[in-house]
């Protein structure tokens, strides 16, 4: 059921006109106003408005043991999400930030998911609930050399977001009630240390999970060749319903690109290994490995990658899993493998063999991306299915963008279902007017991964 029919045309027309001189003048006035006409000394109002239409067409609903597969209706979600925040000026090395996040469902013909929401289970799942929340509320201190301490509800993103991320693709992101210390000394040691403690996660459904989770991420820059990363995450979920998510994970990763050859060519590479086992109150005793390998080439605005990610499994709820990761960016945009827990088939692990091509044009304002995946169990003997993913992103200046995105998963395995997803999105973002203190570690060459999400 529609609540409105005018949001998308108006938003598209506004963004499409962003390059005109009149629109540029209006944009400059908005920038000045949100930045307090530069009187605030790093203080600013931050705003991000995101409209999205998502369509999900599946042959059948979730596979529930002991029950026959049920046909679900095609889901349509028209949603508009607003983030509005106030960043304070820096005062004696202290700075504070508060941010509201609200998602308004203009059409509700979809299952919003979660455990406390009104579910429309006759439709496919689209994890963009109609909710409002306090998304971020933190205080930071940077009075110690090369060190930032941030306390409160905050966005945390480590490396490629596989283990700790904000699930930034969804309208309602995940944020953490936490303490995070970031020490970044690139001049002398080339080392970034992220050490923290997670107390709660406010997830994409606007629900809160209680944690007892120390986290550690060490990122060492190896000259111009890449980054060597070591990490340990000890996730103790405190609600009984989440005990199976509790795990301890250790890993090593080398991620980088070569220096340029012939002024235009770079080689890209990733090698990563992780080990995970049950932790705290998890009743399932297991040990499972993860292997992540990638090789690629970037030249003349074209990037090509071939990769394999394997998460081993040893039975129901004994699979390598990443409950705090931005999992939409991995194993296909159709999200068929986003949560292996509770799925007996995925208890046998998953191997994702995939290729990515991404091309930038028009001074990097147009990005076209395509991906192909083949999915198997961790032995390669059982095929789960295959998937094509495509996206086109067009940026208009610093603050406006349009996105079209498509995923098509096909399978002959009875444990899964053919799935097609379509997204159309318009975004207006004034988040870069004043730099808030940067916490958590990011990789400097994530252009293709960012396009994937």
């Amino acid at each position: 059921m529609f609540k409105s029919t005018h949001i998308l045309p108006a938003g598209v027309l506004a963004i499409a006109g962003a390059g005109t001189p009149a629109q540029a003048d209006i944009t400059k006035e908005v920038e000045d106003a949100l930045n307090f006409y530069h009187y605030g000394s790093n203080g600013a109002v931050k705003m991000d408005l995101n409209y999205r239409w998502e369509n999900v067409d599946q042959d059948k609903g979730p596979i529930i043991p002991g029950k026959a597969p049920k046909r679900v209706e095609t889901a349509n979600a028209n949603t508009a999400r607003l983030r509005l925040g106030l960043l304070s000026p820096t005062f004696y090395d202290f700075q504070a930030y508060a941010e509201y996040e609200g998602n308004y469902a203009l059409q509700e013909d979809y299952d919003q998911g979660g455990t406390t929401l009104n579910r429309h289970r006759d439709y496919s799942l689209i994890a963009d609930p109609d909710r409002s929340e306090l998304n971020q509320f933190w205080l930071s201190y940077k009075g110690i050399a090369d060190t930032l301490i941030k306390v409160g509800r905050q966005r945390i993103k480590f490396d490629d977001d596989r283990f700790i991320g904000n699930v930034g693709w969804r309208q309602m992101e995940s944020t953490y009630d936490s303490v995070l210390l970031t020490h970044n000394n690139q001049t002398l040691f080339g080392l970034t240390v992220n050490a923290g403690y997670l107390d709660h996660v406010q997830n994409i459904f606007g629900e809160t999970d209680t944690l007892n989770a120390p986290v550690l991420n060490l990122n060492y820059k190896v000259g111009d060749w890449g980054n060597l990363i070591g990490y340990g995450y000890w996730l103790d979920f405190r609600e009984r319903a989440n005990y199976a998510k509790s795990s301890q994970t250790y890993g090593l990763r080398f991620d980088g690109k070569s220096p340029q050859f012939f002024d235009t060519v770079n080689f890209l590479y990733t090698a990563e290994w992780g080990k995970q086992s049950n932790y705290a109150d998890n009743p399932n005793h297991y040990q499972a490995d993860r292997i992540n390998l990638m090789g690629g080439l970037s030249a003349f605005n074209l990037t090509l990658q071939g990769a394999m990610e394997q998460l081993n499994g040893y039975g129901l709820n004994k699979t390598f899993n990443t409950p705090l990761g931005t999992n939409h960016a991995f194993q296909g945009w159709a999200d068929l493998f986003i949560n292996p827990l509770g799925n007996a088939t995925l208890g046998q692990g998953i191997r994702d063999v995939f290729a990515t091509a991404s091309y930038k044009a028009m001074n990097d304002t147009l990005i076209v991306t395509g991906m192909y995946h083949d999915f198997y169990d961790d032995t390669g003997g059982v095929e789960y299915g295959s998937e094509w993913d495509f996206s086109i992103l067009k940026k208009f200046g610093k603050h406006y963008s349009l996105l079209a995105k498509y995923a098509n998963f096909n399978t002959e395995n009875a444990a899964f279902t053919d799935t097609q997803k379509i997204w159309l999105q318009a975004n207006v973002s004034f988040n870069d007017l004043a730099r808030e203190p940067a916490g958590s570690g990011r990789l400097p060459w994530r252009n293709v991964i960012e396009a994937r999400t």
Side-chain angles (χ1 to χ4, degrees):
M1 178 182 296
F2 271 104
K3 297 180 182 178
S4 172
T5 58
H6 305 293
I7 299 294
L8 179 58
V12 171
L13 288 175
I15 292 175
T20 65
Q23 189 69 42
D25 291 341
I26 294 174
T27 296
K28 182 63 168 58
E29 286 295 322
V30 172
E31 287 179 345
D32 288 342
L34 294 178
N35 201 30
F36 307 127
Y37 292 91
H38 310 293
Y39 300 153
S41 181
N42 295 326
V45 174
K46 293 173 173 282
M47 186 273 290
D48 187 282
L49 178 63
N50 197 71
Y51 168 82
R52 180 185 295 155
W53 171 68
E54 180 170 346
N55 172 276
V56 180
D57 185 7
Q58 295 182 295
D59 282 353
K60 57 191 177 186
I63 307 300
I64 301 175
K67 295 185 178 182
K70 177 185 176 182
R71 172 73 187 185
V72 290
E73 297 293 331
T74 298
N76 286 282
N78 278 276
T79 57
R81 187 262 296 136
L82 173 66
R83 292 189 188 128
L84 188 62
L86 177 62
L87 179 68
S88 76
T90 301
F91 183 74
Y92 288 100
D93 293 317
F94 285 94
Q95 193 168 32
Y97 184 64
E99 182 180 75
Y100 160 86
E101 180 179 62
N103 187 47
Y104 182 63
L106 306 166
Q107 182 180 8
E108 296 181 340
D109 299 337
Y110 67 100
D111 179 3
Q112 296 186 12
T115 60
T116 63
L117 303 170
N118 293 324
R119 305 287 298 266
H120 300 280
R121 296 181 185 273
D122 290 336
Y123 293 94
S124 293
L125 173 68
I126 298 177
D128 288 330
D130 188 324
R131 301 207 64 162
S132 298
E133 64 187 18
L134 179 64
N135 190 49
Q136 296 194 74
F137 187 59
W138 51 255
L139 178 69
S140 69
Y141 178 71
K142 57 179 182 180
I144 304 171
D146 302 318
T147 300
L148 173 70
I149 301 172
K150 189 182 285 189
V151 180
R153 180 168 295 177
Q154 57 187 293
R155 179 184 297 125
I156 300 179
K157 298 160 67 69
F158 288 158
D159 305 326
D160 60 356
D161 291 9
R162 189 47 163 142
F163 293 97
I164 307 290
N166 68 323
V167 198
W169 168 248
R170 300 278 27 131
Q171 294 281 53
M172 304 285 283
E173 67 176 338
S174 290
T175 51
Y176 300 88
D177 296 344
S178 57
V179 178
L180 182 65
L181 182 150
T182 301
H183 180 78
N184 189 340
N185 190 327
Q186 296 300 313
T187 303
L188 185 60
F189 300 110
L191 178 66
T192 301
V193 178
N194 281 283
Y197 174 82
L198 313 181
D199 184 62
H200 293 88
V201 54
Q202 184 171 256
N203 62 34
I204 60 174
F205 302 108
E207 301 168 345
T208 301
D209 296 327
T210 303
L211 291 169
N212 177 11
V215 296
L216 179 65
N217 183 285
L218 307 176
N219 188 320
Y220 178 71
K221 190 174 188 302
V222 185
D224 295 328
W225 291 92
N227 289 48
L228 178 63
I229 302 162
Y231 50 82
Y233 307 121
W234 299 265
L235 308 183
D236 177 7
F237 284 83
R238 301 311 303 145
E239 286 94 3
R240 183 176 297 275
N242 291 327
Y243 281 175
K245 298 179 182 179
S246 296
S247 65
Q248 52 186 334
T249 304
Y250 308 89
L252 284 173
R253 174 187 180 103
F254 189 77
D255 200 339
K257 64 179 180 180
S258 68
Q260 285 189 342
F261 294 92
F262 310 111
D263 296 327
T264 56
V265 179
N266 291 109
F267 294 102
L268 312 174
Y269 36 80
T270 296
E272 183 177 9
W273 170 83
K275 177 172 284 292
Q276 184 179 95
S277 61
N278 57 287
Y279 184 63
D281 293 318
N282 191 333
N284 306 292
H285 297 278
Y286 74 99
Q287 288 188 355
D289 293 342
R290 172 178 178 260
I291 301 171
N292 179 33
L293 301 172
M294 183 276 291
L297 178 70
S298 177
F300 304 104
N301 296 324
L302 176 65
T303 300
L304 302 174
Q305 291 183 346
M308 186 277 290
E309 183 191 35
Q310 179 169 306
L311 283 66
N312 288 349
Y314 298 93
L316 181 64
N317 294 331
K318 297 181 179 181
T319 304
F320 196 110
N321 66 97
T322 58
L324 299 183
T326 302
N327 296 333
H328 174 78
F330 302 86
Q331 299 173 342
W333 295 339
D335 291 341
L336 270 295
F337 311 101
I338 203 164
N339 179 18
L341 298 180
N343 188 310
T345 301
L346 292 182
Q348 305 310 310
I350 179 169
R351 179 185 297 174
D352 177 16
V353 181
F354 61 100
T356 304
S358 182
Y359 182 72
K360 293 183 176 183
M362 302 174 65
N363 294 319
D364 294 344
T365 65
L366 178 67
I367 304 174
V368 181
T369 302
M371 303 180 71
Y372 176 77
H373 298 260
D374 271 328
F375 301 106
Y376 304 88
D377 72 342
D378 61 20
T379 69
V382 179
E383 185 173 4
Y384 293 161
S386 61
E387 180 172 329
W388 287 97
D389 296 324
F390 300 98
S391 72
I392 301 175
L393 173 67
K394 180 66 177 79
K395 300 177 183 179
F396 301 86
K398 296 188 298 181
H399 304 296
Y400 312 97
S401 66
L402 294 173
L403 173 70
K405 187 168 164 177
Y406 176 78
N408 192 312
F409 174 83
N410 289 282
T411 183
E412 297 182 0
N413 190 315
F416 304 100
T417 183
D418 290 346
T419 299
Q420 175 184 269
K421 296 189 177 184
I422 304 171
W423 300 269
L424 296 176
Q425 177 174 293
N427 181 263
V428 179
S429 181
F430 286 83
N431 271 337
D432 58 350
L433 301 178
R435 293 286 182 181
E436 62 185 68
S440 71
R442 308 295 288 152
L443 299 176
W445 34 78
R446 293 191 65 244
N447 56 314
V448 173
I449 295 176
E450 294 292 352
R452 283 169 52 188
T453 60

